[in-house]
Amino acid sequence: MDTLKITSLLGDKAEYLLGHTCKTIDKSLIHIPSPSTVDDIWINTDRNIQTLNNLQRMLGSGRLANTGYLSILPVDQDIEHTAGASFAPNPIYFDPENIVKLAIEGGCNAVASTFGNLGAVARKYAHKIPFLVKLNHNELLTYPNSYNQVMFGTVKEAWNMGAAAVGATIYFGSAESREQLVEIADAFEYAHELGMATVLWCYLRNNDFKKDGVDYHAAADLTGQANHLGVTIKADIVKQKLPSNNGGFTAINFGKVDKKMYTELTTEHPIDLCRYQVANGYMGRVGLINSGGESHGASDLKEAVITAVINKRAGGMGLISGRKAFQRSMKDGVELLHTIQDVYLDPEITIA
């Protein structure tokens, strides 16, 4: 896909997103993803050689191989939201082999899923596409539901499966977040010891993060701090929702802030808001991948391209998009994943 087609998909947002220049945190301060990301950034860290191997394996796979960018297919919604709700639009994905096939045909760098899904086909596929095994989930059958995560397996089990990386979620802001933070910090330490990369879903969950009818769960200041906590426990990659607003700390009158967070480090432009998320990941040393979000049907392709453009131009590392891809036919899912990847392959779409 050429820039003209991407511009067409962006529609009335094309100039707003492609023509934007970031005047908050300058691009010269950002560690921009590149073909030499492992050599430029990770060689100097305390990650062992096997972890570097697996980081490079993910970065060297799929259509985005050796660009520094990642396109990951995540399928854990069957646990988080119920399998029926997730797979009813396309029941073939009740069979985990089709999940892995979609990731491979879609040119993804890795497939992220549950112990059960990936374990069911590990011997056939673990050497063909990097596995990212999700360690914990918020299972939906506990009633009333709580903002908690439970470990579904062990780090050693993921290693035995041939996983290149492990992933986990912490619900920052929830009553259980400190317990989750200690648990996942220990898990990530062991994963690194065994040579696997680590990916943290740095999500926010607290009913008090909604104020006067406005939901601040995806506010740039709150999500930025969640990202910063994530990289502090040695997440190699952080997954975060694209910022939808800002001023969460001030709205709920919580935490310490500096007015420059809102007047100099960010603006209301989505690329500047995402740049603030990137900055909180050690200025991009730890890659930011944004989530693709739920499927809305006909608008999915445009929404996915918008998210990819914002992430790339902000200095992010890629997209992790699931429902928009697997809640449609295999052919259309592959097309959507390829379209996302085309944004990162396009040399004319540069950091703002």
Side-chain angles (χ1 to χ4, degrees), residues 198-202 223 226-228 230-231 235-240 281 286-290:
T198 57
V199 183
L200 190 64
W201 279 239
C202 291
T223 56
N227 290 1
H228 198 70
V231 299
D236 300 324
I237 298 164
V238 161
K239 177 190 176 187
Q240 185 57 268
V286 174
L288 170 70
I289 53 176
N290 287 118

Side-chain angles (χ1 to χ4, degrees), residues 119-159:
V121 294
R123 194 172 299 280
K124 185 174 181 179
Y125 290 105
H127 61 292
K128 295 179 180 177
I129 183 171
F131 278 11
L132 167 53
V133 180
K134 189 78 181 338
L135 298 173
N136 65 358
H137 305 280
N138 181 24
E139 55 79 25
L140 196 69
L141 276 180
T142 299
Y143 184 81
N145 196 23
S146 64
Y147 299 139
N148 204 356
Q149 294 279 321
V150 61
M151 299 292 278
F152 270 59
T154 66
V155 172
K156 188 64 176 291
E157 187 180 353
W159 181 81

Side-chain angles (χ1 to χ4, degrees), residues 34-40 42-43 48-62 64-70 109 130 164 195 197 237 317:
S34 75
S36 57
T37 288
V38 171
D39 289 333
D40 295 342
W42 292 106
I43 287 293
N48 62 30
I49 292 174
Q50 292 301 334
T51 300
L52 299 180
N53 280 344
N54 276 316
L55 280 167
Q56 185 59 55
R57 185 183 170 211
M58 286 197 295
L59 286 165
S61 298
L64 297 184
N66 304 314
T67 63
Y69 292 104
L70 293 172
N109 300 72
I237 298 164
M317 196 181 200

Side-chain angles (χ1 to χ4, degrees), residues 8 46-47 53 69 80 114 117 127 138 142 157 161 176-177 189 195 199 209-210 226 231 257 283 310 332 336:
S8 176
D46 62 354
R47 289 3 178 225
N53 280 344
Y69 292 104
E80 302 273 349
T114 66
N117 282 341
H127 61 292
N138 181 24
T142 299
E157 187 180 353
M161 195 188 297
E176 297 82 10
S177 62
E189 179 185 13
V199 183
F209 290 167
K210 299 176 182 178
V231 299
V257 299
M283 284 296 191
I310 292 171
D332 289 346
L336 183 137

Side-chain angles (χ1 to χ4, degrees), residues 1-4 6 18 32 64 67 69 312-313 341-352:
M1 177 177 289
D2 56 32
T3 307
L4 198 59
I6 293 173
L18 296 176
I32 303 169
L64 297 184
T67 63
Y69 292 104
K312 184 180 183 183
R313 301 212 68 222
Q341 294 152 12
D342 287 339
V343 171
Y344 294 96
L345 292 169
D346 191 331
E348 293 187 35
I349 300 175
T350 57
I351 188 166

Side-chain angles (χ1 to χ4, degrees), residues 144-321:
N145 196 23
S146 64
Y147 299 139
N148 204 356
Q149 294 279 321
V150 61
M151 299 292 278
F152 270 59
T154 66
V155 172
K156 188 64 176 291
E157 187 180 353
W159 181 81
N160 281 329
M161 195 188 297
V166 296
T169 297
I170 293 178
Y171 281 153
F172 291 106
S174 71
E176 297 82 10
S177 62
R178 290 188 174 184
E179 179 184 334
Q180 292 168 11
L181 194 140
V182 172
E183 183 176 52
I184 299 309
D186 285 344
F188 279 8
E189 179 185 13
Y190 188 34
H192 280 146
E193 183 181 328
L194 293 177
M196 291 181 288
T198 57
V199 183
L200 190 64
W201 279 239
C202 291
Y203 285 171
L204 297 167
R205 288 291 188 279
N206 191 312
N207 287 330
D208 288 331
F209 290 167
K210 299 176 182 178
K211 186 77 171 179
D212 299 327
V214 180
D215 190 342
Y216 291 99
H217 277 93
D221 54 351
L222 293 177
T223 56
Q225 183 61 22
N227 290 1
H228 198 70
L229 292 172
V231 299
T232 299
I233 64 167
K234 293 189 176 179
D236 300 324
I237 298 164
V238 161
K239 177 190 176 187
Q240 185 57 268
K241 295 180 180 179
L242 204 65
S244 58
N245 54 25
N246 205 1
F249 279 122
T250 55
I252 61 179
N253 194 26
F254 173 70
K256 293 185 180 296
V257 299
D258 186 309
K259 64 180 181 181
K260 290 182 179 180
M261 290 165 57
Y262 308 105
T263 60
E264 295 184 20
L265 300 185
T266 54
T267 70
E268 293 183 357
H269 196 286
I271 292 174
D272 295 344
L273 294 174
C274 190
R275 173 69 55 86
Y276 187 74
Q277 288 184 338
V278 172
N280 273 280
Y282 299 151
M283 284 296 191
R285 285 180 180 270
V286 174
L288 170 70
I289 53 176
N290 287 118
S291 54
E294 64 182 300
S295 175
H296 295 118
S299 63
D300 281 354
L301 199 59
K302 178 178 180 178
E303 291 171 6
V305 168
I306 287 172
T307 304
V309 168
I310 292 171
N311 173 272
K312 184 180 183 183
R313 301 212 68 222
M317 196 181 200
L319 228 57
I320 180 164
S321 186

